[in-house]
Amino acid sequence: MKAKLIAEPAIYWHGDQMILHNMIDYAAAAQCDMFKYQCFNPERLSPAFQPKKKFYSKCQLDSKSLSDVKSHVEANGMEFVVTVNTPDRFIFMRELGVENIKIASGQLHPSLLQELDKYKWKRVIVSTGMLNEADKLDQIREIQSAEEVVVMHCVSLYPHNDNETNMQRLRSLDKRIGHETINYVPIVYGYSDHTMDDLASVVAVSMGARYIERHFKTEACFGPTVQVCCSPAELANFSATLRRIDSIIGCGELGMQPREWNSYEHYKNRFLL
């Protein structure tokens, strides 16, 4: 099964809705499976981010504009995902018919999860980059309101180096959290990539990651973590690579491949025993 590819435009579109809609078209052309939008309440920014309040506020859409974005994403055959950073935004998402929610690791808090579980979701994606404490990881198993929970390994550096990637953490997360919540909701695993090329994502898929999130930008984009972004062409190339990986991994059957039988017939009696 090909890993699902999540296109992450972050807030690199800096409030220009034309850029955002163009990014949707690029993600669709790259055959991404999902497109993500970040939703938060600028009035609840912490003091450290107050100087950026004006910039962040520009990247928040009203109900009509966000509904148009959702429709554009879905018309292009992708699923719409929204990162929700403040509890008050959940009801806004449900009213718009959003079914896929992502929670950033820095916002995984009991109060946010309590509000999350008031509504029903198709998929809840949880980033784990800043979750080092076991009890915080254990909160993921308490999610009740999803049909599927996706646990994403990531490193909260933009970018991070090869020796900081720690892809074995995927297996450690699997061992710690398991494959279902306490309410028997299936849990699967993925990787949110903050590196400078495709290799880490390729390794993640080869280790069983079912979801890959990639930041991307167009020429008009800018932002504090833009150096980890791929271009639309690179996003399309990676999407094609995902399909090749799926083909290469195969089904695991022990028998020979159909075309191998010709080789077998040719070589089986090459030497007398």
Side-chain angles (χ1 to χ4, degrees):
M1 178 184 294
K2 181 183 82 71
K4 290 184 179 294
L5 179 56
I6 305 170
E8 162 66 283
I11 54 173
Y12 308 128
W13 53 283
H14 55 85
D16 187 326
Q17 293 184 46
M18 182 174 293
I19 293 175
L20 181 61
H21 281 271
N22 286 340
M23 295 179 85
I24 294 170
D25 292 333
Y26 279 122
Q31 299 186 46
C32 293
D33 301 281
M34 310 175 86
F35 188 90
K36 196 180 85 169
Y37 168 79
Q38 290 196 15
C39 181
F40 49 85
N41 184 347
E43 300 303 320
R44 300 184 67 165
L45 285 170
S46 66
F49 285 86
Q50 282 297 319
K52 298 180 180 180
K53 181 177 177 180
K54 184 176 180 180
F55 175 78
Y56 277 75
S57 296
K58 287 174 61 179
C59 299
Q60 293 305 291
L61 301 177
D62 60 23
S63 179
K64 172 63 168 62
S65 297
L66 190 54
S67 180
D68 289 344
V69 167
K70 178 177 179 291
S71 295
H72 192 171
V73 169
E74 293 172 348
N76 277 283
M78 297 182 291
E79 293 187 72
F80 188 48
V81 184
V82 177
T83 296
V84 176
N85 292 293
T86 55
D88 59 303
R89 301 288 88 177
F90 284 122
I91 189 169
F92 182 41
M93 293 301 105
R94 285 312 302 157
E95 289 173 347
L96 287 174
V98 172
E99 296 186 311
N100 301 294
I101 293 293
K102 184 177 179 186
I103 301 172
S105 59
Q107 273 63 57
L108 187 70
H109 187 273
S111 64
L112 187 137
L113 292 178
Q114 183 178 9
E115 190 67 23
L116 171 82
D117 279 337
K118 291 181 179 179
Y119 311 96
K120 295 297 182 181
W121 312 100
K122 178 178 179 181
R123 187 181 290 107
V124 173
I125 303 169
V126 184
S127 183
T128 64
M130 291 186 281
L131 300 182
N132 292 317
E133 299 173 20
D135 60 336
K136 290 185 176 180
L137 290 171
D138 290 343
Q139 290 181 84
I140 296 171
R141 297 189 65 248
E142 298 176 9
I143 294 173
Q144 304 178 37
S145 55
E147 297 176 18
E148 179 181 67
V149 174
V150 182
V151 178
M152 302 288 280
H153 166 48
C154 74
V155 178
S156 298
L157 295 169
Y158 305 85
H160 57 85
N161 300 319
D162 286 354
N163 62 353
E164 296 169 317
T165 304
N166 190 21
M167 200 62 73
Q168 288 284 6
R169 188 170 182 266
L170 264 176
R171 290 178 174 150
S172 298
L173 288 167
D174 187 347
K175 184 176 180 180
R176 175 74 199 189
I177 301 170
H179 289 277
E180 59 185 20
T181 70
I182 57 176
N183 293 294
Y184 308 108
V185 176
I187 297 175
V188 298
Y189 293 84
Y191 173 60
S192 182
D193 196 342
H194 299 156
T195 61
M196 301 289 285
D197 59 22
D198 295 343
L199 184 57
S201 289
V202 171
V203 172
V205 175
S206 71
M207 292 177 63
R210 297 269 300 276
Y211 291 82
I212 298 292
E213 182 179 84
R214 295 296 299 269
H215 291 238
F216 83 108
K217 64 179 181 178
T218 65
E219 290 183 0
C221 292
F222 64 85
T225 60
V226 75
Q227 63 267 38
V228 304
C229 292
C230 57
S231 69
E234 290 168 336
L235 186 67
N237 287 339
F238 176 67
S239 180
T241 297
L242 280 185
R243 292 190 293 277
R244 286 196 65 199
I245 294 171
D246 187 51
S247 180
I248 289 168
I249 289 174
C251 63
E253 291 182 359
L254 294 177
M256 290 191 295
Q257 297 295 318
R259 291 198 310 119
E260 283 185 289
W261 285 103
N262 289 333
S263 294
Y264 172 74
E265 293 297 332
H266 181 72
Y267 288 111
K268 66 178 180 179
N269 294 320
R270 184 174 181 181
F271 296 104
L272 296 176
L273 300 179

